[in-house]
């Protein structure tokens, strides 16, 4: 299967909230043909229409499947309820999405193996429902899942061992590196469960990463995250997704530079060679 280049729409979240169609037009103008929506349940129909009008597809998307409410990475949160899996999958089908990925669980849920077991149970239950709808379930990491270890294994590896074989992983390469873990080794360990990666780069400058959102992110290939080697190590890769949490310069130029970096790699050839 050819590796598809995509973009996580949270990258342009402020613009997207202000002008859905115009922002998608700008993304398409920068050479993207696929996107990864976030918070798509509340706007599935208008989003589907806008994607179609701009020639864009959404093979993957982010929605909560193992949390009842959202807690931000800076510790703040919301009491808004998370839609039930069936509601999420209804929206995913409206968008033609084939994989729904849980984007975040809070660090406090990664302190004990029993907590990771509960996250796995919830993801596995969602995967059972999704399978009946032709939709896969996945999980996306940040740094905290890699910063904790249990008997020599990172929390993400512990989770992977507990997941139903139908549950896939989307590895954020920047956050892996931020956690002090080698993305290449991790991808080799996780193997064919990894079907998507967030291709995100940064300088990992200590002062810049102390901020939230982090202030060190740069276009793919211009930082210190070993993206090329990690992509080659992803043996079952289907989608390579550009994302920025924050970028102080011209964001559209930055996403185009990242796409150009990916297009310059022979992802299919490297995947086969690995």
């Amino acid at each position: 299967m050819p590796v598809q280049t995509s973009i996580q729409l949270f990258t342009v979240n402020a613009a997207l909230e202000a002008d859905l169609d115009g922002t998608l037009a700008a993304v398409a103008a920068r050479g993207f043909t696929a996107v990864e929506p976030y918070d798509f349940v509340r706007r599935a129909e208008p989003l589907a229409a806008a994607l179609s009008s701009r020639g864009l597809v959404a093979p993957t998307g982010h929605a909560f499947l193992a949390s009842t409410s959202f807690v931000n990475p800076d510790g703040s949160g919301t009491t808004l309820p998370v839609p039930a899996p069936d509601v999420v999958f209804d929206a995913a089908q409206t968008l033609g999405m084939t994989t729904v990925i849980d984007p975040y669980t809070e660090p406090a849920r990664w302190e004990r193996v029993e907590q990771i077991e509960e996250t796995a149970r919830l993801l596995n239950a969602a995967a059972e429902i999704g399978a009946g709808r032709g939709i896969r379930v996945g999980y996306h990491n940040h740094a905290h899942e890699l910063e904790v270890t249990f008997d020599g294994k990172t929390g993400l590896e512990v989770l992977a061992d507990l997941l139903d074989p139908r549950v896939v992983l989307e590895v954020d390469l920047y956050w892996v590196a931020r956690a002090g873990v080698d993305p290449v080794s991790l991808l080799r360990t996780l193997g064919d469960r990894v079907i998507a990666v967030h291709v995100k780069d940064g300088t990992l400058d200590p002062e810049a990463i102390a901020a939230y959102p982090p202030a060190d992110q740069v276009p793919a290939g211009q930082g210190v995250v070993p993206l090329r080697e990690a992509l080659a190590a992803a043996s079952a890769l289907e989608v390579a997704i550009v994302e920025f949490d924050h970028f102080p310069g011209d964001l559209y130029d930055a996403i185009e530079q990242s796409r150009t970096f990916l297009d310059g790699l022979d992802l299919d050839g490297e995947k086969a060679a690995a």
Side-chain angles (χ1 to χ4, degrees), residues 41-252:
V41 175
R42 66 181 169 90
R43 54 185 170 195
E45 291 188 6
L47 180 56
L51 291 173
S52 178
S53 72
R54 299 301 175 183
L56 297 167
V57 296
T60 64
H62 279 190
F64 293 104
L65 296 166
S67 300
T68 56
S69 61
F70 177 60
V71 179
N72 291 305
D74 64 358
S76 62
T78 175
T79 57
L80 291 176
V82 168
D86 268 320
V87 176
V88 171
F89 297 141
D90 284 344
Q93 287 184 313
T94 297
L95 289 158
M97 199 175 286
T98 56
T99 306
V100 175
I101 299 165
D102 190 303
Y104 182 80
T105 53
E106 61 180 312
R109 290 174 57 180
W110 291 82
E111 296 171 351
R112 303 187 312 278
V113 169
E114 293 78 9
Q115 293 172 303
I116 302 175
E117 289 172 342
E118 175 62 9
T119 296
R121 185 190 69 77
L122 292 166
L123 291 170
N124 291 343
E128 178 69 25
I129 298 169
R133 312 281 291 270
I135 296 173
R136 288 184 302 188
V137 163
Y139 184 77
H140 168 87
N141 68 281
H142 288 77
H144 57 272
E145 299 95 336
L146 285 306
E147 290 170 337
V148 294
T149 58
F150 304 88
D151 295 327
K153 285 188 175 183
T154 66
L156 186 63
E157 292 170 85
V158 173
L159 176 70
D161 288 343
L162 294 166
L163 291 174
D164 184 298
R166 293 174 293 189
V167 181
V168 297
L169 293 175
E170 176 182 76
V171 173
D172 188 305
L173 301 173
Y174 169 84
W175 287 114
V176 173
R178 272 282 299 269
V181 172
D182 176 23
V184 180
S185 296
L186 179 67
L187 287 173
R188 288 176 179 154
T189 298
L190 295 174
D192 288 353
R193 193 177 293 269
V194 180
I195 61 92
V197 293
H198 273 195
V199 183
K200 186 189 302 180
D201 211 344
T203 66
L204 303 186
D205 174 80
E207 185 175 342
I209 65 175
Y212 182 80
D216 70 313
Q217 292 178 7
V218 295
Q222 299 179 27
V224 300
V225 180
L227 298 177
R228 184 186 302 268
E229 297 82 0
L231 287 161
S235 56
L237 189 64
E238 298 174 14
V239 194
I241 302 149
V242 170
E243 185 188 32
F244 288 84
D245 295 298
H246 173 71
F247 186 72
D250 187 317
L251 186 55
Y252 290 101

Side-chain angles (χ1 to χ4, degrees), residues 2-7 31-35 59 238-242 258-260 262-263 267:
V3 178
Q4 193 167 27
T5 299
S6 182
I7 179 172
F32 288 91
T33 58
V35 301
E238 298 174 14
V239 194
I241 302 149
V242 170
S258 294
R259 181 193 56 75
T260 300
L262 282 171
D263 289 350
L267 293 179

Side-chain angles (χ1 to χ4, degrees), residues 9-10 12-20 23 38-39 42-43:
L9 289 179
F10 188 77
V12 291
N13 65 88
L16 196 75
E17 297 301 327
D19 181 3
L20 178 66
T23 302
Y38 68 96
D39 191 19
R42 66 181 169 90
R43 54 185 170 195

